[in-house]
Amino acid sequence: MTTADAHPNRYVIHLPVTAPDLPGALNLARVLARSVSFLPQIDSTGAEVSEEDNQNARHQVFCDRPTEGERRRCGKAAAHSGECK
């Protein structure tokens, strides 16, 4: 196994969608990310949303903080209240 095989490159797939506003876009992104999260290649907690013409201003979809004592990240909405799960 080569080093490249052990650490494959990561790519971002840009999939433009339409939404009425930022909260609607974030909600759609959560639904889409969760619907494909069974695929091992998908890092759903890393999902972000941006306006098509302003892709440098990204909004995190999920909290993504490491959960205490577990080897996974929080899948709750970004800026949620309460503890991570």
Side-chain angles (χ1 to χ4, degrees), residues 2-85:
T2 68
T3 303
D5 293 333
H7 301 286
N9 293 332
R10 288 175 52 114
Y11 294 90
V12 175
I13 298 172
H14 299 272
L15 180 65
V17 300
T18 56
D21 51 25
L22 180 57
L26 290 167
N27 186 54
L28 179 58
R30 275 191 292 278
V31 170
L32 291 173
R34 287 182 177 143
S35 72
V36 295
S37 64
F38 68 93
L39 296 167
Q41 302 91 337
I42 303 293
D43 179 10
S44 61
T45 59
E48 296 175 322
V49 168
S50 66
E51 289 183 64
E52 184 174 32
D53 294 331
N54 189 12
Q55 294 185 23
N56 291 325
R58 297 178 183 195
H59 304 271
Q60 232 179 322
V61 175
F62 297 102
C63 171
D64 200 29
R65 285 183 283 206
T67 56
E68 191 172 323
E70 297 188 32
R71 300 183 79 182
R72 60 185 187 89
R73 297 195 170 271
C74 178
K76 285 186 170 185
H80 67 84
S81 60
E83 295 184 26
C84 291
K85 290 188 179 183

